Amino acid sequence: MIVIKSPREIEIMARAGQVTAQAHRLVEQAIAPGVTTGELDRMVEEFLLDLGAKPAFKGYVGFPAIICSSLNHQVVHGIPSEKVVLEEGDILSVDIGAIVDGYVGDAAATYPVGAVSPEARRLIEATSGALEKGIAQAVAGNRLTDISAAVQQWVESQGFSVVRDYVGHGIGQSMHEDPQIPNFGPPGYGPKLAEGMVLAIEPMVNMGGYSVKTLNDGWTVVTTDGSLSAHFEHTVAITKQGPQVLTALM
Ligand code: MG
């Protein structure tokens, strides 16, 4: 069942979204060679708690940290650690969830560490572009998979592949609500999108094949072929005026 949010609820979700966006800015500014993902995790924890927000990921199905930090060929759900030291040329996908007044904001982005290869840069831009293509379809009257198809078509036109095993999701008082939002498939299927739906759209894009696997830590998802991967996500409300990106920095 897709939970429809009132304009009042979307206002609260916009505040959760802003906190999430601000945490991302903090991370983006801190990322540099020599920094550990454990430091980024502590920084975000402190920031969220200072604002009276609650980290959404820690303890969720047992996840052990505040942020997900996925390095290079890691796709999603990487666990921050003092042992993971960023190096020039790395790319780091960071996923942050924040709860404000009971509602969740969820956003991810892939950041370059210093100067990265032109191919890595192109992967990041293609994935960010895929998210924009998906958001543009988050319009009342469209079908859910219009989002999916727009993402896949864009990604494949750029020569990359979309991950099949993980998908976007509805979001509200729970981090994962209906519907699931695949990043692939033909347009025109699934529920009709309507005002008041709030969706976390999140393409995960691999430079090589789309196959992924989970490491022995039970969390970290990596590309099977070892190729680089990028991930962008926004929490988006469908409104009368069109898609409202709640996790974009104001
Ligand atoms: Mg998400």
Side-chain angles (χ1 to χ4, degrees):
M1 183 196 61
I2 301 177
V3 182
I4 298 295
K5 280 79 182 179
S6 69
R8 166 88 188 109
E9 288 179 292
I10 290 176
E11 270 179 40
I12 301 172
M13 292 196 74
R15 285 195 281 118
Q18 276 314 292
V19 169
T20 309
Q22 287 164 5
H24 263 283
R25 184 172 58 180
L26 201 68
V27 165
E28 182 174 21
Q29 289 170 345
I31 284 177
V35 172
T36 70
T37 55
E39 287 172 62
L40 299 176
D41 196 60
R42 279 187 282 115
M43 186 182 299
V44 170
E45 178 169 36
E46 201 171 299
F47 177 77
L48 294 181
L49 296 181
D50 275 355
L51 289 177
K54 198 170 161 265
F57 297 168
K58 188 156 190 176
Y60 187 89
V61 209
F63 188 73
I66 306 297
I67 66 172
C68 298
S69 56
S70 308
L71 190 63
N72 294 328
H73 73 296
Q74 298 176 351
V75 180
V76 288
H77 305 164
I79 301 170
S81 165
E82 302 301 336
K83 290 182 198 141
V84 178
V85 183
L86 300 180
E87 289 177 26
E88 179 99 12
D90 284 340
I91 63 171
L92 184 70
S93 298
V94 177
D95 199 343
I96 302 176
I99 304 170
V100 173
D101 292 340
Y103 288 82
V104 187
D106 191 4
T110 300
Y111 300 107
V113 181
V116 301
S117 71
E119 269 306 273
R121 170 65 64 185
R122 218 168 64 73
L123 176 71
I124 290 173
E125 281 167 7
T127 310
S128 166
L131 175 57
E132 295 308 317
K133 299 285 182 192
I135 290 170
Q137 295 300 318
V139 173
N142 275 2
R143 293 279 174 184
L144 180 75
T145 71
D146 294 342
I147 296 173
S148 317
V151 168
Q152 182 178 21
Q153 282 165 20
W154 169 253
V155 168
E156 292 181 355
S157 78
Q158 301 301 297
F160 301 126
S161 63
V162 287
V163 170
R164 267 61 162 173
D165 292 4
Y166 297 86
V167 297
H169 49 94
I171 183 168
Q173 288 180 288
S174 299
M175 184 158 63
H176 294 128
E177 297 183 353
D178 287 339
Q180 293 199 342
I181 311 168
N183 294 302
F184 60 95
Y189 291 89
K192 193 176 260 190
L193 301 180
E195 210 181 303
M197 290 182 183
V198 183
L199 307 176
I201 303 172
E202 50 176 323
M204 289 144 266
V205 176
N206 297 348
M207 198 174 270
Y210 63 74
S211 168
V212 300
K213 61 182 182 183
T214 305
L215 297 184
N216 286 336
D217 63 14
W219 282 106
T220 311
V221 177
V222 300
T223 56
T224 304
D225 61 14
S227 67
L228 290 179
S229 188
H231 178 207
F232 279 81
E233 175 181 29
H234 272 309
T235 299
V236 181
I238 298 175
T239 75
K240 212 174 285 173
Q241 291 79 34
Q244 181 186 354
V245 182
L246 303 179
T247 43
L249 198 61
M250 293 292 174

